[in-house]
Amino acid sequence: MRLMKGLLGLLLVMPLLASAEEIGQVSTVFKFVGPNDRIVVEAFDDPKVDGVTCYLSRAKTGGVKGGLGLAEDRAEASIACRQVGPIRFKGELKDGDEVFKERTSLVFKTMQVVRFLDKKRNTLVYLVYSDRLIEGSPQNAVTAIPILPWPTAQ
């Protein structure tokens, strides 16, 4: 019963997270069997902040395991978020809100992007990191967007 409630809760939360759109990729290691190892660049819009798009680059493991979705991807990632229009909040923002999450191994490892609001500097701060059920990784990247007025077309 608890499992069913947990799964239902997860399904209700999932639409609140952004989904990524692949922008491009480059091959880094040739594999004879299965896809090559590669670096993928993805874009996603912040689901609670109109006018913000984040670009995430990260490693994807290839080979047979990678092709079957069984490989564990590396923890390294880079993020750059930019203002792409007028910034409008779609509700109350909480520090550490999860904006994006994707599984990077079969079961235990995920890559996440969380958002913070630096009120003193009027800036949105985005942090990407990888965690694992038992032990996460200290590797991370951060980007910041000052909240500025958006010029209107004349």
Side-chain angles (χ1 to χ4, degrees), residues 4-141:
M4 292 298 285
K5 286 182 181 178
L7 288 174
L8 180 60
L10 182 63
L11 289 174
L12 293 174
V13 171
M14 289 307 281
L16 300 177
L17 298 178
S19 60
E21 166 191 348
E22 187 174 312
I23 301 299
Q25 60 178 287
V26 295
S27 178
T28 58
V29 175
F30 174 75
K31 299 286 186 174
F32 283 105
V33 180
N36 292 340
D37 289 353
R38 59 202 186 281
I39 297 173
V40 177
V41 177
E42 299 168 313
F44 62 89
D45 298 324
D46 187 324
K48 283 192 171 181
V49 182
D50 281 339
V52 171
T53 298
C54 293
Y55 298 89
L56 185 65
S57 70
R58 58 196 184 92
K60 291 265 205 161
T61 304
V64 174
K65 283 184 176 180
L68 296 173
L70 302 174
E72 184 171 303
D73 293 333
R74 297 176 57 110
E76 297 92 353
S78 178
I79 189 168
C81 297
R82 298 294 182 259
Q83 181 176 359
V84 295
I87 292 181
R88 290 189 196 96
F89 301 120
K90 297 180 184 176
E92 185 180 340
L93 300 184
K94 295 178 186 159
D95 278 344
D97 268 351
E98 194 172 271
V99 178
F100 175 81
K101 184 175 188 173
E102 187 166 303
R103 181 181 59 81
T104 53
S105 75
L106 185 58
V107 180
F108 300 112
K109 190 174 177 184
T110 60
M111 181 160 295
Q112 301 177 57
V113 176
V114 294
R115 175 194 341 94
F116 298 92
L117 176 59
D118 180 352
K119 291 179 183 176
K120 179 179 177 183
R121 293 164 190 85
N122 200 34
T123 300
L124 292 166
V125 180
Y126 293 83
L127 169 71
V128 61
Y129 68 99
S130 180
D131 68 353
R132 194 182 297 189
L133 187 61
I134 296 177
E135 179 183 331
S137 171
Q139 295 176 351
N140 64 80

